[in-house]
Amino acid sequence: MSFPKDFIWGAATASYQIEGAAHEDGRGASIWDTFSKTPGKVENGDTGDTACDHYHRYAEDIELMREIGIDSYRLSIAWPRLFPDGGTTRNEPGFAFYNRLIDALIAAGITPAVTLYHWDLPQPLEDAGGWANRATVDAFEHYTRACAEAFGDRVKLWITINEPWCVSWLGYMSGVHAPGRQELPAAIAAAHHTALAHGRATRVIKQVVSDCQVGITLNMTNYIVPVDADAEAIKAADLLDAHINRWWIDALTDGQYPVVLQEEYGDMLSSVVLSGDAEILKTEPDFLGINYYSDSFVSTAREVDGALRDGGLFPFAERADTRVPEHLQSTLTDMEWPVTPEGLGVLAMRVHTDWPAIPALMITENGAAYDDEPDANGEVNDTRRVAYLTNHLASLQSAIAQGAPVVAYYAWSLLDNFEWAYGYAKRFGMIHVNFHTQKRTLKRSAHTYKQIIESDRVPV
Ligand code: GCO
């Protein structure tokens, strides 16, 4: 159960989820500041105003990273800290913060992996249409170039966009994420513009930063159908697979979207794809970031009327029964996601097989929400997360042994943090955060991860 000696062990977070300091040093408002302050959008009315106060406590958190022994830390940059209006007016204190953070990571011997966009779009850009507006791609390119110029001498690992599927479909179709819109044409436009943004940003980073690696991070899953599934269920699973898994990978490797979705979206897509876009979409990927949490299930297809196509629901999720099978109900995490560790290895092998042009894979997120709290001795005995971690890593190691080019694993997450529409109600961290006192406590899973990192082995 050993991993390659040069395997990269990391942990991941995101700016809006941990930084706090939402109104400090010139930071502008993001769509998540707006959304979280909109009554009813986030559990308990929680916001990222303080979060883990990482903006002020980053040195302490880096010390904890050192204690765990991670090689690399995946952070995201808050666009509104650098360009509060989303345009070209720089906020120098924002650049200074990330220079301090990056320098402190390097001084601690921890390699920074920087995500340029982890959902905190400057609000003025959303006021102009957000990701449904093609002009946002231009603004993202300008922001990317500024980051590459400012940090590219020390940052060599770049992720352009985190989970463009969530950006597009949770933000503009279901509305459960910022900016909370429910408009199918806007979601399709955002799905195209985020793919374009990745293509444009990849080229800018490569122009500015020597010897760097650039990729995108996608939330991916395996769609599992019963052995006796009928043709309609298999068709529904394929549609969901194209929708969640293939859209951005096909674009960045081939410049084309899945045909089944081109047909499904019709002129809602063709009206936003311009001549020359295919060449922008297609890149030479250095790696693909995969966020994997759990498998998905399609038991039977369901006929729905066309009304859903323009309503507030996914046009596809309603076309199939995607409930978790009975035999996995007992494994649900606090997010009600089933625990399916073998799926991580299966997915890594599938991506390697289906998209051989991708030279390397990084698991940029994998983890689980469990509500373990400190016991009377102040210890957090998160045994379920320890099992989740070790079983998923065992599955990943098996895929590597079969040839999957997985070079890194970033646990989600370093810290308990703001879990979007769930606020602070869901705890994904290896480090427990008391959000009243900001006290950090390494959970048992952090100690287990430390042992795994030291030995490059998963305890059996
Ligand atoms: C995501 C985001 C993270 C989440 C994590 C748990 O994948 O949705 O990248 O910000 O917090 O995945 O949902």
Side-chain angles (χ1 to χ4, degrees), residues 204-263:
V204 163
I205 297 167
K206 294 295 227 182
Q207 282 166 12
V208 174
V209 185
S210 59
D211 62 16
C212 65
Q213 293 181 63
V214 187
I216 191 171
T217 274
L218 305 179
N219 50 293
M220 298 188 73
T221 186
N222 301 304
Y223 275 98
I224 312 290
V225 295
V227 288
D228 60 352
D230 63 23
E232 284 310 302
I234 291 168
K235 182 168 177 285
D238 180 63
L239 202 58
L240 284 165
D241 181 63
H243 179 57
I244 294 261
N245 291 325
R246 305 201 308 258
W247 177 269
W248 285 273
I249 304 182
D250 284 357
L252 72 91
T253 54
D254 188 34
Q256 298 299 327
Y257 295 120
V259 171
V260 66
L261 293 180
Q262 292 184 42
E263 291 165 357

Side-chain angles (χ1 to χ4, degrees), residues 116 166 216 316 363 391 404 429:
L116 286 162
C166 291
I216 191 171
F316 309 128
I363 307 305
N391 291 334

Side-chain angles (χ1 to χ4, degrees), residues 77-84 86 117 120-122 125 131 136 139-140 143:
I77 292 177
W79 190 346
R81 280 201 197 282
L82 305 191
F83 295 95
Y117 185 72
D120 34 11
L121 186 72
L125 288 175
W131 284 106
T136 299
F140 183 67
Y143 159 66

Side-chain angles (χ1 to χ4, degrees), residues 49-62:
D49 279 356
T50 305
C52 306
D53 194 30
H54 180 72
Y55 186 82
H56 300 108
R57 299 170 187 266
Y58 68 88
E60 171 190 356
D61 292 334
I62 290 173

Side-chain angles (χ1 to χ4, degrees), residues 90-111:
R90 292 166 60 101
N91 175 48
E92 294 307 337
F95 285 88
F97 166 66
Y98 291 108
N99 272 319
R100 289 196 301 275
L101 176 55
I102 290 163
D103 290 346
L105 285 166
I106 291 170
I110 298 170
T111 302

Side-chain angles (χ1 to χ4, degrees), residues 17 118-119 162-163 291 293 335 337 365 412 419-420 428:
Q17 295 182 269
H118 204 125
W119 306 357
N162 177 78
E163 300 195 354
N291 289 355
Y293 288 91
M335 294 293 278
W337 299 343
E365 289 179 25
W412 184 269
E419 178 50 34
W420 308 114
F428 274 90

